[in-house]
Amino acid sequence: MEKKIVSVAIDGPAAAGKSTVAKIVAKDLDFTYIDTGAMYRAFTYYVIKKGVDPKDEAASCSLIPEVDIVLEKDGKVFVNGEDVTRPIREPLVSGNVSYIASYKEIRLALVDLQRKMAGTKSVVMDGRDIGTYVLPNAEVKIYQIASVETRAQRRYDENVSKGIPTSYEDVVADLKKRDYIDSHRAFAPLKPAEDSVQLDTSDMTVQEVVDAVLKTIEEKTGVKPLCR
Ligand code: DC
């Protein structure tokens, strides 16, 4: 019997814990995890590396034909063969990625790649517009939120553990700025899909969120982890 292809979309604001949860859920179900934010970050890294101002839409978009982004299974991210897994998490990229992600031409190019990735296999894809725009027919749509204080603390702790220098105040300012730009852009802004299940994870552990997402997936598709 042919295996059914299932798409799980997890959207929500920056640092709501989407990628942590999406990675575990994908592993539990043997689905492929796709971090679309990493793709916008990788593009931003390349724009900065080329000496282009990320606020310059025309110059940034002119780089589309020369950017080749690869997401590997182990979570590594490559741009034109360069391993950018670490630098795409640094403040210079985080502080500019929302400008790049607001340009329609760049979004269309990356969305095309994302749809191709989901066309042939079951995926858990996280981002901002997965349920509303990239995969509108996804069987499961989760909209994951948390208070700005919770999100800032999580992101700050993550940066400290990775040795990325930031202050808590800078993290709060960056999250607020990105939330604003991401939800106010004209094309495919951050917003919950009408048919999404909303999860406020402020007072939940990672395992509680994973369990809630797995339960929703099972209810909607019948798919469940093989051994838990
Ligand atoms: O999830 P993240 O913080 O790594 O995402 C980085 C930025 O990319 C975020 O500020 C908004 C943008 N983004 C987007 O616009 N659409 C997506 N599907 C994923 C991310």
Side-chain angles (χ1 to χ4, degrees):
M1 204 176 73
E2 220 171 275
K3 217 173 154 190
K4 178 167 103 174
I5 292 182
V6 170
S7 299
V8 178
I10 303 187
D11 291 301
K18 302 182 297 293
S19 66
T20 307
V21 168
K23 265 183 223 157
I24 301 172
V25 168
K27 192 157 179 273
D28 284 354
L29 297 175
D30 196 26
F31 285 12
T32 300
Y33 165 57
I34 299 170
D35 177 357
T36 63
M39 299 167 78
Y40 291 97
R41 286 173 180 273
F43 202 110
T44 306
Y45 171 88
Y46 188 75
V47 168
I48 295 169
K49 187 182 166 183
K50 292 291 273 189
V52 168
D53 179 359
K55 291 199 184 87
D56 183 337
E57 177 168 0
S60 298
C61 291
S62 75
L63 298 177
I64 293 172
E66 63 186 81
V67 176
D68 177 39
I69 297 171
V70 174
L71 301 183
E72 289 201 339
K73 244 195 143 168
D74 60 3
K76 287 216 164 97
V77 185
F78 290 82
V79 180
N80 296 359
E82 178 184 351
D83 182 351
V84 296
T85 314
R86 188 189 149 93
I88 62 168
R89 303 290 158 195
E90 292 192 349
L92 183 60
V93 171
S94 298
N96 283 291
V97 62
S98 281
Y99 301 118
I100 295 299
S102 71
Y103 304 147
K104 185 173 179 182
E105 250 188 279
I106 292 175
R107 296 199 73 81
L108 290 177
L110 296 187
V111 166
D112 194 41
L113 266 178
Q114 291 155 14
R115 287 184 178 151
K116 283 194 181 118
M117 289 173 181
T120 52
K121 51 187 186 274
S122 291
V123 296
V124 181
M125 192 178 277
D126 81 11
R128 305 293 188 286
D129 59 340
I130 310 305
T132 52
Y133 185 75
V134 181
L135 304 175
N137 297 323
E139 286 80 0
V140 184
K141 298 180 184 179
I142 307 285
Y143 194 77
Q144 193 170 320
I145 56 168
S147 68
V148 79
E149 294 76 19
T150 306
R151 293 189 284 128
Q153 192 62 51
R154 286 177 187 162
R155 180 53 49 91
Y156 176 74
D157 292 343
E158 192 183 317
N159 286 352
V160 169
S161 74
K162 287 183 180 163
I164 295 170
T166 31
S167 71
Y168 176 80
E169 289 71 28
D170 286 348
V171 174
V172 172
D174 173 59
L175 290 184
K176 285 187 175 165
K177 176 180 128 183
R178 285 205 286 145
D179 285 352
Y180 185 83
I181 302 176
D182 293 345
S183 51
H184 286 81
R185 67 179 174 232
F187 185 64
L190 167 69
K191 63 170 182 204
E194 274 175 22
D195 50 351
S196 62
V197 173
Q198 295 213 30
L199 267 184
D200 184 339
T201 70
S202 305
D203 299 313
M204 291 170 86
T205 64
V206 170
Q207 193 56 53
E208 284 170 341
V209 184
V210 168
D211 289 342
V213 173
L214 287 172
K215 188 164 168 260
T216 306
I217 294 171
E218 187 175 349
E219 282 166 4
K220 293 197 179 269
T221 69
V223 173
K224 54 183 171 188
L226 290 176
C227 47
R228 287 207 101 208

